[in-house]
Amino acid sequence: MTVILPRPADGAPQVFPTPRHTLAGMAFPGFPHDAADFYAELELDNSTGFWQANRERYEAGVRGPMTALLEGLEDEFGPGRVFRPNRDLRFSADKSPYKTHQGGYVSTGSRTGWYAEVSADGFRLGGGCYQMDAPTLAAYREAVAGPRGATLERVVAELRGAGWEVGGDQLKTAPRGWSRDHERIDLLRHRTISALRWIEDADIVTTPALLDEVRTGWREVRPLLDWLRPVVQG
């Protein structure tokens, strides 16, 4: 799904004139329309030259607001981090130097946390578990198959019923040692698991109201994180 941030009536891009460092510690102002424009242009010209020429746009319209958003949520969810814009190219055939989205993250454990992201497509939020090594994955599957698995089934069903997309990296078949007919085979196939959704009302993204929207959404995802945390902490 694509959600394009609307532009002002006069068609001119809205850009925050305030540099990033002055946004820190201030109330979240919303993301400007230029945040989506910046990433749309970066998708067309993902080069060091474009980045250097537009770095102030990124700082003022992307990184600054994301920093302010996370600071506005810190009282309830804890301190967050804004991901670096550079891609890790070491093991990638795609040598584009920059990510085409800006993520923000609040950790709830070694592998779990809440997530927020702005890009040319709009804004999405959610949370879950982003990585499981072999021992952690084994512990997760044992928990899914055991009595606690019924709770995860209920949590996932409630999230989907509320409009969340519950997904992640999944095997196409049953994991080794597990039957394809297992009653929770869909959950057992997961190698990562998360709940994500887009902000449907794009006008909210450009206003301070986005902070409360994210706060409400992260509260809805909390039961998934609460289930995952003791399982994947090892």
Side-chain angles (χ1 to χ4, degrees):
M1 183 190 73
T2 298
V3 180
I4 302 298
L5 302 185
R7 299 175 64 85
D10 62 5
Q14 177 189 354
V15 183
F16 287 122
T18 314
R20 177 174 67 89
H21 67 275
T22 61
L23 281 172
M26 295 178 62
F28 173 65
F31 287 92
H33 301 281
D34 192 54
D37 291 344
F38 170 80
Y39 279 115
E41 294 169 31
L42 181 62
E43 288 177 1
L44 296 174
D45 183 8
N46 197 319
S47 68
T48 302
F50 174 86
W51 187 269
Q52 291 177 343
N54 292 274
R55 187 177 185 88
E56 289 186 9
R57 290 174 66 193
Y58 165 76
E59 295 286 354
V62 177
R63 188 178 183 89
M66 182 63 79
T67 300
L69 175 68
L70 295 178
E71 288 179 349
L73 296 163
E74 185 172 345
D75 60 334
E76 180 172 348
F77 300 99
R81 58 174 291 207
V82 179
F83 290 118
R84 64 197 302 264
N86 306 78
R87 295 180 63 245
D88 184 351
L89 306 179
R90 291 174 296 173
F91 309 107
S92 176
D94 178 5
K95 298 304 180 183
S96 302
Y98 301 102
K99 300 171 186 175
T100 54
H101 61 272
Q102 176 64 67
Y105 183 74
V106 176
S107 174
T108 63
S110 61
R111 297 174 174 87
T112 59
W114 286 285
Y115 183 70
E117 177 188 291
V118 65
S119 68
D121 292 331
F123 187 93
R124 64 176 179 168
L125 67 153
C129 178
Y130 62 87
Q131 187 268 338
M132 297 190 217
D133 56 19
T136 303
L137 193 53
Y140 164 80
R141 287 176 176 152
E142 289 294 337
V144 167
R148 295 190 73 239
T151 301
L152 182 59
E153 275 190 312
R154 175 182 55 78
V155 167
V156 167
E158 289 175 352
L159 285 168
R160 285 176 171 155
W164 292 88
E165 179 183 352
V166 180
D169 182 18
Q170 287 180 279
L171 296 172
K172 293 182 179 180
T173 186
R176 182 177 300 178
W178 297 93
S179 169
R180 295 183 182 182
D181 298 324
H182 194 284
E183 61 179 337
R184 298 182 188 129
I185 190 60
D186 182 62
L187 291 172
L188 289 170
R189 288 192 181 112
H190 278 272
R191 291 186 292 195
T192 65
I193 185 168
S194 61
L196 296 168
R197 70 174 175 85
W198 294 91
I199 298 295
E200 298 288 351
D201 186 349
D203 287 331
I204 291 177
V205 179
T206 61
T207 72
L210 179 63
L211 188 146
D212 286 335
E213 190 82 6
V214 175
R215 186 184 297 276
T216 299
W218 281 3
R219 287 172 177 170
E220 291 180 16
V221 176
R222 191 188 296 274
L224 175 61
L225 295 175
D226 286 346
W227 190 94
L228 287 166
R229 190 180 305 111
V231 174
V232 304
Q233 281 293 84

